[in-house]
Coordinates of all heavy atoms in Angstrom, one line a residue:
M1 N -6.5 -0.7 -15.8 CA -7.1 0.0 -14.7 C -6.2 1.2 -14.4 O -5.0 1.1 -14.3 CB -7.1 -0.9 -13.5 CG -7.6 -0.2 -12.3 SD -7.7 -1.4 -10.9 CE -8.9 -0.5 -9.9
D2 N -6.8 2.4 -14.3 CA -6.1 3.6 -14.0 C -6.1 3.8 -12.5 O -7.2 3.7 -11.9 CB -6.7 4.8 -14.7 CG -6.5 4.8 -16.2 OD1 -5.4 4.3 -16.6 OD2 -7.4 5.2 -16.9
Y3 N -4.9 4.0 -11.9 CA -4.9 4.2 -10.5 C -5.0 5.7 -10.2 O -4.5 6.6 -10.9 CB -3.5 3.7 -9.9 CG -3.4 2.2 -10.0 CD1 -2.7 1.5 -11.0 CD2 -4.1 1.4 -9.0 CE1 -2.6 0.2 -11.0 CE2 -4.0 0.0 -9.1 CZ -3.3 -0.6 -10.1 OH -3.2 -1.9 -10.1
I4 N -5.5 6.0 -9.0 CA -5.6 7.4 -8.5 C -4.1 7.8 -8.2 O -3.4 7.0 -7.5 CB -6.5 7.5 -7.3 CG1 -7.9 7.1 -7.6 CG2 -6.4 8.9 -6.7 CD1 -8.8 6.9 -6.4
P5 N -3.6 8.9 -8.7 CA -2.2 9.3 -8.5 C -1.8 9.2 -7.1 O -0.7 8.8 -6.8 CB -2.1 10.7 -9.1 CG -3.3 10.8 -10.1 CD -4.4 9.9 -9.5
E6 N -2.6 9.6 -6.1 CA -2.2 9.6 -4.7 C -2.1 8.2 -4.2 O -1.2 7.9 -3.4 CB -3.3 10.3 -3.9 CG -3.4 11.8 -4.1 CD -4.3 12.2 -5.4 OE1 -5.0 11.3 -5.9 OE2 -4.2 13.3 -5.8
V7 N -2.9 7.3 -4.7 CA -2.8 5.9 -4.3 C -1.5 5.3 -4.8 O -0.8 4.6 -4.1 CB -4.0 5.1 -4.7 CG1 -3.8 3.6 -4.5 CG2 -5.3 5.6 -4.1
L8 N -1.2 5.5 -6.1 CA 0.0 5.0 -6.7 C 1.3 5.6 -6.0 O 2.2 4.8 -5.7 CB 0.1 5.4 -8.2 CG 1.3 4.9 -9.0 CD1 1.4 3.4 -8.9 CD2 1.2 5.4 -10.4
E9 N 1.2 6.9 -5.7 CA 2.4 7.5 -5.0 C 2.5 6.8 -3.6 O 3.7 6.5 -3.2 CB 2.2 9.0 -4.8 CG 3.3 9.7 -4.1 CD 3.1 11.2 -4.0 OE1 2.1 11.7 -4.5 OE2 4.0 11.8 -3.3
A10 N 1.4 6.6 -2.9 CA 1.5 6.0 -1.5 C 2.0 4.6 -1.6 O 2.8 4.1 -0.8 CB 0.1 6.0 -0.9
Y11 N 1.6 3.8 -2.6 CA 2.0 2.4 -2.8 C 3.5 2.4 -3.1 O 4.3 1.6 -2.6 CB 1.3 1.7 -3.9 CG 1.7 0.3 -4.0 CD1 1.4 -0.7 -3.1 CD2 2.6 -0.1 -5.1 CE1 1.9 -2.0 -3.2 CE2 3.1 -1.4 -5.1 CZ 2.7 -2.3 -4.2 OH 3.3 -3.6 -4.3
N12 N 4.0 3.3 -4.0 CA 5.4 3.4 -4.4 C 6.2 3.7 -3.2 O 7.3 3.2 -3.0 CB 5.6 4.3 -5.5 CG 5.2 3.8 -6.9 OD1 4.9 2.6 -7.0 ND2 5.1 4.6 -7.9
N13 N 5.7 4.6 -2.4 CA 6.5 5.0 -1.1 C 6.6 3.8 -0.2 O 7.6 3.6 0.4 CB 5.8 6.2 -0.4 CG 6.1 7.5 -1.2 OD1 7.1 7.6 -1.9 ND2 5.2 8.5 -1.0
K14 N 5.5 3.1 -0.1 CA 5.5 1.8 0.8 C 6.5 0.8 0.2 O 7.3 0.2 1.0 CB 4.1 1.2 0.8 CG 4.0 -0.1 1.6 CD 2.6 -0.6 1.4 CE 2.6 -2.1 1.8 NZ 1.6 -2.8 1.1
L15 N 6.5 0.7 -1.1 CA 7.5 -0.3 -1.7 C 8.9 0.2 -1.5 O 9.8 -0.6 -1.2 CB 7.1 -0.5 -3.1 CG 7.7 -1.7 -3.9 CD1 7.6 -3.0 -3.1 CD2 7.1 -1.8 -5.3
K16 N 9.1 1.5 -1.7 CA 10.5 2.0 -1.4 C 10.9 1.8 0.0 O 12.1 1.4 0.2 CB 10.6 3.5 -1.8 CG 10.6 3.8 -3.2 CD 10.9 5.2 -3.5 CE 9.6 6.0 -3.5 NZ 9.8 7.4 -3.9
S17 N 10.0 1.9 1.0 CA 10.4 1.6 2.4 C 10.7 0.1 2.5 O 11.7 -0.2 3.3 CB 9.2 2.0 3.3 OG 9.0 3.3 3.3
K18 N 10.0 -0.7 1.9 CA 10.3 -2.2 1.9 C 11.7 -2.4 1.3 O 12.4 -3.3 1.8 CB 9.3 -3.0 1.2 CG 8.0 -3.1 2.0 CD 7.0 -3.9 1.2 CE 5.7 -4.0 2.0 NZ 4.7 -5.0 1.4
L19 N 12.0 -1.8 0.2 CA 13.3 -2.0 -0.4 C 14.5 -1.5 0.5 O 15.5 -2.1 0.6 CB 13.4 -1.2 -1.8 CG 12.5 -1.8 -2.8 CD1 12.6 -0.9 -4.1 CD2 12.8 -3.2 -3.1
Y20 N 14.2 -0.4 1.2 CA 15.2 0.1 2.1 C 15.4 -0.9 3.3 O 16.5 -1.2 3.7 CB 14.8 1.5 2.7 CG 15.9 2.1 3.6 CD1 17.1 2.5 3.1 CD2 15.7 2.1 4.9 CE1 18.1 3.0 3.9 CE2 16.7 2.6 5.8 CZ 17.9 3.1 5.3 OH 18.8 3.5 6.1
G21 N 14.2 -1.4 3.7 CA 14.3 -2.4 4.8 C 15.0 -3.7 4.3 O 15.8 -4.3 5.1
L22 N 14.9 -4.0 3.1 CA 15.6 -5.2 2.5 C 17.1 -4.9 2.6 O 17.9 -5.8 3.0 CB 15.1 -5.4 1.1 CG 15.9 -6.5 0.3 CD1 15.8 -7.8 0.9 CD2 15.4 -6.5 -1.2
L23 N 17.5 -3.7 2.2 CA 18.9 -3.4 2.2 C 19.4 -3.4 3.6 O 20.5 -4.0 3.9 CB 19.1 -2.0 1.6 CG 20.6 -1.5 1.6 CD1 21.5 -2.4 0.8 CD2 20.6 -0.1 1.1
C24 N 18.7 -2.9 4.6 CA 19.1 -3.0 6.0 C 19.2 -4.4 6.5 O 20.2 -4.8 7.2 CB 18.1 -2.2 6.9 SG 18.1 -0.4 6.6
E25 N 18.3 -5.3 6.1 CA 18.4 -6.7 6.5 C 19.6 -7.3 5.9 O 20.3 -8.1 6.6 CB 17.1 -7.5 6.0 CG 15.9 -7.1 6.8 CD 15.9 -7.5 8.2 OE1 16.0 -8.7 8.5 OE2 15.8 -6.6 9.1
Y26 N 19.9 -7.0 4.7 CA 21.1 -7.6 4.0 C 22.4 -7.1 4.7 O 23.3 -7.9 5.0 CB 21.1 -7.1 2.5 CG 22.3 -7.7 1.7 CD1 22.1 -8.8 1.0 CD2 23.5 -7.0 1.7 CE1 23.1 -9.4 0.2 CE2 24.5 -7.6 0.9 CZ 24.3 -8.7 0.2 OH 25.4 -9.2 -0.5
E27 N 22.4 -5.8 5.0 CA 23.6 -5.3 5.7 C 23.8 -5.8 7.1 O 24.9 -5.9 7.6 CB 23.5 -3.7 5.7 CG 23.7 -3.1 4.3 CD 23.5 -1.6 4.3 OE1 22.9 -1.1 5.2 OE2 24.0 -1.0 3.3
R28 N 22.7 -6.2 7.8 CA 22.8 -6.7 9.1 C 23.0 -8.2 9.1 O 23.2 -8.9 10.2 CB 21.5 -6.4 9.9 CG 21.4 -4.9 10.2 CD 20.1 -4.7 10.9 NE 19.9 -3.3 11.1 CZ 18.8 -2.6 10.9 NH1 17.7 -3.3 10.5 NH2 18.7 -1.3 11.1
G29 N 23.0 -8.8 7.9 CA 23.2 -10.3 7.9 C 22.1 -11.1 8.3 O 22.2 -12.2 8.8
R30 N 20.9 -10.5 8.2 CA 19.7 -11.2 8.7 C 19.0 -11.9 7.5 O 19.5 -12.1 6.5 CB 18.8 -10.2 9.4 CG 19.4 -9.8 10.7 CD 19.0 -8.5 11.2 NE 17.8 -8.5 12.0 CZ 17.4 -7.5 12.7 NH1 17.9 -6.3 12.5 NH2 16.3 -7.5 13.4
D31 N 17.7 -12.3 7.7 CA 17.0 -13.0 6.7 C 16.5 -12.1 5.6 O 15.3 -11.9 5.4 CB 15.8 -13.8 7.4 CG 15.0 -14.6 6.4 OD1 15.6 -15.1 5.4 OD2 13.8 -14.8 6.6
W32 N 17.4 -11.6 4.8 CA 17.0 -10.7 3.7 C 16.4 -11.5 2.6 O 15.5 -10.9 1.9 CB 18.2 -9.9 3.2 CG 19.3 -10.8 2.6 CD1 20.4 -11.4 3.3 CD2 19.4 -11.2 1.2 NE1 21.1 -12.1 2.4 CE2 20.6 -12.0 1.1 CE3 18.7 -10.9 0.1 CZ2 21.0 -12.5 -0.1 CZ3 19.1 -11.4 -1.1 CH2 20.2 -12.2 -1.2
E33 N 16.7 -12.8 2.4 CA 16.1 -13.5 1.3 C 14.6 -13.7 1.5 O 13.8 -13.7 0.6 CB 16.8 -14.8 1.1 CG 18.2 -14.6 0.5 CD 19.0 -15.9 0.3 OE1 18.9 -16.8 1.2 OE2 19.6 -16.1 -0.8
G34 N 14.2 -14.0 2.8 CA 12.8 -14.0 3.1 C 12.1 -12.7 2.8 O 10.9 -12.7 2.3
F35 N 12.7 -11.6 3.2 CA 12.2 -10.3 3.0 C 12.0 -10.1 1.4 O 11.0 -9.5 1.0 CB 13.2 -9.3 3.5 CG 12.6 -8.0 4.0 CD1 12.4 -7.7 5.3 CD2 12.3 -7.0 3.0 CE1 11.9 -6.5 5.7 CE2 11.8 -5.8 3.4 CZ 11.6 -5.5 4.8
L36 N 13.1 -10.4 0.7 CA 13.0 -10.3 -0.8 C 11.9 -11.1 -1.4 O 11.1 -10.6 -2.2 CB 14.3 -10.7 -1.4 CG 14.4 -10.8 -2.9 CD1 14.1 -9.4 -3.5 CD2 15.8 -11.3 -3.4
D37 N 11.7 -12.4 -0.9 CA 10.7 -13.2 -1.4 C 9.3 -12.6 -1.1 O 8.4 -12.7 -2.0 CB 10.7 -14.6 -0.8 CG 11.9 -15.4 -1.3 OD1 12.4 -15.1 -2.4 OD2 12.3 -16.4 -0.7
A38 N 9.1 -12.0 0.0 CA 7.8 -11.4 0.4 C 7.5 -10.2 -0.6 O 6.4 -10.1 -1.1 CB 7.8 -10.8 1.8
I39 N 8.5 -9.4 -1.0 CA 8.3 -8.4 -2.0 C 8.0 -8.9 -3.3 O 7.0 -8.4 -4.0 CB 9.6 -7.5 -2.0 CG1 9.8 -6.7 -0.7 CG2 9.5 -6.5 -3.2 CD1 11.1 -6.0 -0.6
L40 N 8.7 -10.0 -3.8 CA 8.4 -10.6 -5.1 C 7.0 -11.2 -5.1 O 6.3 -11.1 -6.1 CB 9.5 -11.6 -5.4 CG 10.9 -11.0 -5.7 CD1 11.9 -12.1 -5.8 CD2 10.9 -10.1 -6.9
I41 N 6.6 -11.8 -4.0 CA 5.3 -12.4 -4.0 C 4.2 -11.3 -4.1 O 3.2 -11.4 -4.8 CB 5.1 -13.2 -2.7 CG1 5.9 -14.5 -2.7 CG2 3.6 -13.5 -2.4 CD1 6.1 -15.2 -1.4
E42 N 4.4 -10.2 -3.4 CA 3.5 -9.0 -3.5 C 3.4 -8.5 -5.0 O 2.3 -8.3 -5.5 CB 4.0 -7.9 -2.6 CG 3.1 -6.7 -2.6 CD 3.5 -5.6 -1.6 OE1 4.1 -6.0 -0.6 OE2 3.2 -4.5 -1.9
L43 N 4.6 -8.4 -5.6 CA 4.6 -7.9 -7.0 C 3.9 -8.9 -8.0 O 3.3 -8.5 -9.0 CB 6.0 -7.7 -7.5 CG 6.7 -6.5 -6.8 CD1 8.1 -6.4 -7.3 CD2 5.9 -5.2 -7.1
E44 N 3.9 -10.2 -7.6 CA 3.2 -11.2 -8.4 C 1.7 -11.0 -8.4 O 1.0 -11.4 -9.3 CB 3.5 -12.6 -7.9 CG 4.9 -13.2 -8.4 CD 4.9 -13.5 -9.9 OE1 3.9 -13.9 -10.5 OE2 6.0 -13.3 -10.5
G45 N 1.2 -10.3 -7.4 CA -0.2 -10.1 -7.3 C -0.8 -9.1 -8.3 O -2.0 -8.9 -8.5
F46 N 0.1 -8.3 -9.0 CA -0.4 -7.4 -10.0 C -1.0 -8.1 -11.2 O -0.4 -9.1 -11.7 CB 0.8 -6.6 -10.6 CG 1.1 -5.4 -9.7 CD1 1.8 -5.5 -8.5 CD2 0.8 -4.1 -10.1 CE1 2.1 -4.4 -7.7 CE2 1.1 -3.0 -9.4 CZ 1.8 -3.2 -8.2
D47 N -2.1 -7.7 -11.6 CA -2.8 -8.3 -12.8 C -1.9 -8.1 -14.0 O -1.3 -7.1 -14.2 CB -4.1 -7.5 -13.0 CG -5.0 -8.2 -14.0 OD1 -5.6 -9.2 -13.7 OD2 -5.0 -7.8 -15.2
V48 N -1.9 -9.1 -14.8 CA -1.0 -9.2 -16.0 C -1.3 -8.0 -16.9 O -0.4 -7.4 -17.5 CB -1.2 -10.5 -16.8 CG1 -0.4 -10.5 -18.1 CG2 -0.7 -11.7 -15.9
D49 N -2.5 -7.6 -17.0 CA -2.9 -6.5 -17.9 C -2.4 -5.1 -17.4 O -2.4 -4.1 -18.1 CB -4.4 -6.4 -18.1 CG -4.9 -7.6 -18.8 OD1 -4.2 -8.2 -19.6 OD2 -6.1 -8.0 -18.6
E50 N -2.1 -5.1 -16.1 CA -1.6 -3.8 -15.5 C -0.1 -3.7 -15.4 O 0.4 -2.7 -14.9 CB -2.2 -3.7 -14.1 CG -3.7 -3.6 -14.1 CD -4.3 -3.7 -12.7 OE1 -3.6 -3.7 -11.7 OE2 -5.6 -3.7 -12.6
R51 N 0.6 -4.7 -15.8 CA 2.1 -4.7 -15.7 C 2.7 -3.9 -16.9 O 2.4 -4.2 -18.0 CB 2.6 -6.1 -15.8 CG 2.1 -7.0 -14.6 CD 2.6 -8.4 -14.6 NE 2.1 -9.1 -13.5 CZ 2.3 -10.4 -13.3 NH1 3.1 -11.1 -14.1 NH2 1.8 -11.0 -12.2
T52 N 3.5 -2.9 -16.5 CA 4.1 -2.0 -17.4 C 5.6 -2.5 -17.6 O 6.1 -3.4 -16.9 CB 4.1 -0.6 -16.9 OG1 4.9 -0.5 -15.7 CG2 2.7 -0.1 -16.6
I53 N 6.3 -1.8 -18.5 CA 7.7 -2.1 -18.7 C 8.5 -1.8 -17.4 O 9.4 -2.5 -17.1 CB 8.3 -1.3 -19.9 CG1 9.6 -1.8 -20.3 CG2 8.3 0.2 -19.7 CD1 9.7 -3.2 -20.9
D54 N 8.1 -0.8 -16.7 CA 8.7 -0.5 -15.4 C 8.5 -1.6 -14.4 O 9.4 -1.9 -13.6 CB 8.2 0.9 -14.9 CG 8.8 2.1 -15.6 OD1 9.8 1.9 -16.4 OD2 8.3 3.2 -15.5
Y55 N 7.3 -2.2 -14.4 CA 7.0 -3.3 -13.5 C 8.0 -4.4 -13.8 O 8.6 -5.0 -12.9 CB 5.5 -3.8 -13.7 CG 5.3 -5.1 -13.1 CD1 4.9 -5.2 -11.7 CD2 5.5 -6.3 -13.8 CE1 4.7 -6.4 -11.1 CE2 5.3 -7.5 -13.2 CZ 4.9 -7.6 -11.9 OH 4.8 -8.8 -11.3
Y56 N 8.1 -4.8 -15.1 CA 9.0 -5.9 -15.4 C 10.4 -5.6 -15.1 O 11.2 -6.4 -14.6 CB 8.8 -6.3 -16.9 CG 7.5 -7.0 -17.2 CD1 6.5 -6.4 -17.9 CD2 7.3 -8.3 -16.7 CE1 5.3 -7.0 -18.1 CE2 6.2 -9.0 -16.9 CZ 5.1 -8.3 -17.6 OH 3.9 -9.0 -17.8
S57 N 10.9 -4.4 -15.3 CA 12.2 -4.0 -15.0 C 12.5 -4.1 -13.5 O 13.5 -4.7 -13.1 CB 12.5 -2.5 -15.5 OG 13.8 -2.1 -15.2
L58 N 11.5 -3.6 -12.7 CA 11.6 -3.7 -11.3 C 11.6 -5.2 -10.8 O 12.5 -5.6 -10.0 CB 10.4 -3.0 -10.6 CG 10.3 -3.0 -9.1 CD1 11.4 -2.2 -8.5 CD2 9.0 -2.5 -8.7
Y59 N 10.7 -5.9 -11.3 CA 10.6 -7.3 -10.9 C 11.9 -8.1 -11.2 O 12.4 -8.9 -10.4 CB 9.4 -8.0 -11.6 CG 9.2 -9.4 -11.1 CD1 8.4 -9.6 -9.9 CD2 9.7 -10.5 -11.7 CE1 8.2 -10.9 -9.4 CE2 9.5 -11.8 -11.2 CZ 8.8 -12.0 -10.0 OH 8.6 -13.2 -9.5
H60 N 12.4 -7.9 -12.4 CA 13.6 -8.7 -12.8 C 14.9 -8.2 -12.1 O 15.7 -9.0 -11.7 CB 13.8 -8.6 -14.3 CG 12.7 -9.4 -15.1 ND1 12.5 -10.7 -14.9 CD2 11.8 -8.9 -15.9 CE1 11.5 -11.1 -15.7 NE2 11.0 -10.0 -16.3
K61 N 15.0 -6.9 -11.8 CA 16.1 -6.4 -11.0 C 16.1 -7.0 -9.6 O 17.1 -7.5 -9.1 CB 16.1 -4.9 -10.9 CG 16.5 -4.2 -12.2 CD 16.4 -2.7 -12.1 CE 16.7 -2.0 -13.3 NZ 17.9 -1.2 -13.2
L62 N 14.9 -7.0 -9.0 CA 14.7 -7.6 -7.7 C 15.0 -9.1 -7.7 O 15.6 -9.6 -6.8 CB 13.3 -7.3 -7.1 CG 13.1 -5.8 -6.8 CD1 11.6 -5.6 -6.4 CD2 14.0 -5.3 -5.7
S63 N 14.6 -9.8 -8.7 CA 14.8 -11.2 -8.8 C 16.3 -11.6 -8.9 O 16.7 -12.6 -8.4 CB 14.1 -11.8 -10.0 OG 12.7 -11.6 -9.9
A64 N 17.0 -10.7 -9.4 CA 18.5 -10.9 -9.6 C 19.3 -10.6 -8.3 O 20.4 -11.0 -8.2 CB 19.0 -10.1 -10.7
L65 N 18.7 -10.0 -7.3 CA 19.4 -9.5 -6.1 C 20.1 -10.7 -5.4 O 21.2 -10.5 -4.9 CB 18.5 -8.8 -5.2 CG 18.1 -7.4 -5.5 CD1 17.1 -6.9 -4.5 CD2 19.2 -6.5 -5.7
R66 N 19.5 -11.8 -5.4 CA 20.1 -12.9 -4.6 C 21.5 -13.4 -5.2 O 22.2 -14.1 -4.6 CB 19.2 -14.1 -4.4 CG 18.7 -14.8 -5.5 CD 17.7 -15.9 -5.2 NE 16.4 -15.4 -5.1 CZ 15.7 -15.3 -3.9 NH1 16.1 -15.7 -2.8 NH2 14.5 -14.7 -3.9
Y67 N 21.8 -13.0 -6.4 CA 23.0 -13.4 -7.1 C 24.1 -12.3 -7.1 O 25.2 -12.5 -7.7 CB 22.7 -13.8 -8.5 CG 21.6 -14.9 -8.5 CD1 20.4 -14.5 -9.0 CD2 21.8 -16.2 -8.1 CE1 19.3 -15.5 -9.0 CE2 20.8 -17.1 -8.1 CZ 19.6 -16.7 -8.5 OH 18.5 -17.6 -8.6
L68 N 23.8 -11.2 -6.5 CA 24.7 -10.0 -6.6 C 25.6 -9.9 -5.4 O 25.1 -10.1 -4.2 CB 24.0 -8.7 -6.9 CG 23.0 -8.7 -8.1 CD1 22.3 -7.4 -8.2 CD2 23.9 -8.9 -9.4
N69 N 26.8 -9.4 -5.5 CA 27.6 -9.0 -4.4 C 27.1 -7.7 -3.8 O 26.2 -7.0 -4.4 CB 29.1 -9.0 -4.7 CG 29.5 -7.8 -5.6 OD1 28.9 -6.7 -5.5 ND2 30.5 -8.0 -6.4
Y70 N 27.6 -7.3 -2.6 CA 27.1 -6.2 -1.9 C 27.0 -4.9 -2.7 O 26.0 -4.2 -2.7 CB 27.9 -5.9 -0.6 CG 27.4 -4.7 0.1 CD1 26.2 -4.6 0.8 CD2 28.2 -3.5 0.1 CE1 25.8 -3.5 1.4 CE2 27.8 -2.4 0.7 CZ 26.6 -2.4 1.4 OH 26.2 -1.2 2.0
N71 N 28.1 -4.5 -3.4 CA 28.1 -3.3 -4.2 C 27.0 -3.2 -5.2 O 26.3 -2.2 -5.4 CB 29.4 -3.0 -4.8 CG 30.5 -2.7 -3.8 OD1 30.2 -2.2 -2.7 ND2 31.7 -3.1 -4.1
Y72 N 26.8 -4.3 -6.0 CA 25.8 -4.4 -7.0 C 24.4 -4.5 -6.4 O 23.4 -4.0 -6.9 CB 26.0 -5.5 -8.0 CG 27.2 -5.3 -8.8 CD1 28.4 -6.1 -8.7 CD2 27.3 -4.2 -9.8 CE1 29.5 -5.8 -9.5 CE2 28.4 -4.0 -10.5 CZ 29.5 -4.8 -10.4 OH 30.6 -4.6 -11.2
F73 N 24.3 -5.2 -5.2 CA 23.0 -5.3 -4.5 C 22.5 -4.0 -4.1 O 21.4 -3.6 -4.4 CB 23.3 -6.2 -3.3 CG 22.0 -6.5 -2.5 CD1 21.4 -7.8 -2.7 CD2 21.5 -5.6 -1.6 CE1 20.2 -8.1 -2.0 CE2 20.4 -5.9 -0.8 CZ 19.7 -7.2 -1.0
R74 N 23.4 -3.2 -3.5 CA 23.0 -1.9 -3.0 C 22.7 -1.0 -4.2 O 21.7 -0.2 -4.1 CB 24.2 -1.3 -2.2 CG 24.0 0.1 -1.6 CD 25.2 0.5 -0.8 NE 25.1 1.9 -0.4 CZ 24.4 2.4 0.6 NH1 23.7 1.5 1.3 NH2 24.4 3.7 0.9
K75 N 23.5 -1.0 -5.2 CA 23.2 -0.1 -6.4 C 21.9 -0.5 -7.0 O 21.1 0.4 -7.4 CB 24.3 -0.3 -7.4 CG 24.1 0.6 -8.7 CD 25.1 0.3 -9.7 CE 24.9 1.2 -10.9 NZ 23.6 1.3 -11.4
T76 N 21.6 -1.8 -7.1 CA 20.3 -2.2 -7.7 C 19.1 -1.8 -6.9 O 18.1 -1.4 -7.4 CB 20.3 -3.8 -7.9 OG1 21.4 -4.1 -8.8 CG2 19.0 -4.3 -8.5
I77 N 19.2 -1.9 -5.5 CA 18.2 -1.4 -4.6 C 17.9 0.1 -4.9 O 16.7 0.5 -5.1 CB 18.5 -1.6 -3.2 CG1 18.5 -3.1 -2.8 CG2 17.6 -0.8 -2.2 CD1 17.2 -3.7 -2.7
F78 N 18.9 0.9 -5.0 CA 18.7 2.3 -5.3 C 18.2 2.6 -6.7 O 17.4 3.5 -6.9 CB 19.9 3.1 -4.9 CG 20.1 3.3 -3.4 CD1 21.2 2.6 -2.8 CD2 19.2 4.0 -2.7 CE1 21.3 2.7 -1.4 CE2 19.4 4.1 -1.3 CZ 20.4 3.5 -0.7
D79 N 18.6 1.8 -7.6 CA 18.1 1.9 -9.0 C 16.5 1.6 -9.0 O 15.8 2.3 -9.6 CB 18.7 0.9 -9.9 CG 20.1 1.2 -10.3 OD1 20.5 2.4 -10.1 OD2 20.8 0.4 -10.9
C80 N 16.1 0.6 -8.2 CA 14.7 0.3 -8.1 C 13.9 1.4 -7.4 O 12.8 1.7 -7.9 CB 14.5 -1.1 -7.3 SG 15.1 -2.5 -8.2
M81 N 14.5 2.0 -6.4 CA 13.9 3.1 -5.7 C 13.7 4.3 -6.7 O 12.6 4.9 -6.7 CB 14.7 3.5 -4.5 CG 14.6 2.5 -3.4 SD 15.8 3.0 -2.1 CE 14.8 2.7 -0.7
S82 N 14.7 4.5 -7.5 CA 14.6 5.6 -8.5 C 13.5 5.3 -9.6 O 12.8 6.2 -10.0 CB 16.0 5.8 -9.2 OG 16.9 6.3 -8.3
L83 N 13.5 4.0 -9.9 CA 12.4 3.6 -10.9 C 11.1 3.9 -10.3 O 10.2 4.4 -11.0 CB 12.6 2.1 -11.2 CG 11.8 1.5 -12.3 CD1 12.1 2.2 -13.6 CD2 12.1 0.0 -12.4
L84 N 10.9 3.6 -9.1 CA 9.6 3.8 -8.4 C 9.3 5.3 -8.3 O 8.1 5.7 -8.5 CB 9.5 3.2 -7.0 CG 9.5 1.7 -7.0 CD1 9.8 1.1 -5.6 CD2 8.1 1.2 -7.5
S85 N 10.3 6.1 -8.0 CA 10.1 7.6 -8.0 C 9.7 8.1 -9.3 O 8.9 9.0 -9.5 CB 11.3 8.3 -7.5 OG 11.6 7.9 -6.1
R86 N 10.4 7.6 -10.4 CA 10.1 8.0 -11.7 C 8.6 7.7 -12.1 O 8.0 8.5 -12.8 CB 11.0 7.4 -12.7 CG 10.9 7.9 -14.1 CD 11.9 7.3 -15.0 NE 11.3 6.0 -15.4 CZ 12.0 5.0 -16.0 NH1 13.2 5.1 -16.3 NH2 11.4 3.9 -16.3
G87 N 8.1 6.6 -11.7 CA 6.8 6.2 -12.0 C 5.7 7.1 -11.4 O 4.6 7.2 -11.8
E88 N 6.1 7.8 -10.3 CA 5.2 8.7 -9.6 C 4.9 10.0 -10.5 O 3.9 10.7 -10.3 CB 5.7 9.1 -8.3 CG 5.7 8.0 -7.3 CD 6.5 8.3 -6.0 OE1 6.9 9.4 -5.9 OE2 6.6 7.4 -5.2
D89 N 5.9 10.3 -11.4 CA 5.8 11.5 -12.2 C 4.8 11.4 -13.4 O 4.6 12.3 -14.1 CB 7.2 11.9 -12.7 CG 8.1 12.2 -11.5 OD1 7.6 12.6 -10.5 OD2 9.3 12.1 -11.7
R90 N 4.3 10.2 -13.6 CA 3.5 9.9 -14.8 C 2.0 10.2 -14.5 O 1.5 10.1 -13.5 CB 3.7 8.5 -15.3 CG 5.1 8.3 -15.7 CD 5.3 7.0 -16.3 NE 6.7 6.9 -16.6 CZ 7.3 5.8 -17.0 NH1 6.6 4.7 -17.1 NH2 8.6 5.8 -17.2

């Protein structure tokens, strides 16, 4: 399925906001794992035929977050945001 570029850009921006919110929850010592699980559950909703290499990269990076220390956690969040930004250029 081909997405309308504006819709894809809006979705990626929404997801980037959620990732930033996840980082804020982590930094505040709140329920960041629940926040992370909600994002992963949302990503699971993508049809298998629509999953790209970037999708898998994003999903696996996010899945690993619960095992990373703060510095790697933060870096991975920003890596994921960059990955989403890159996807908008296609």
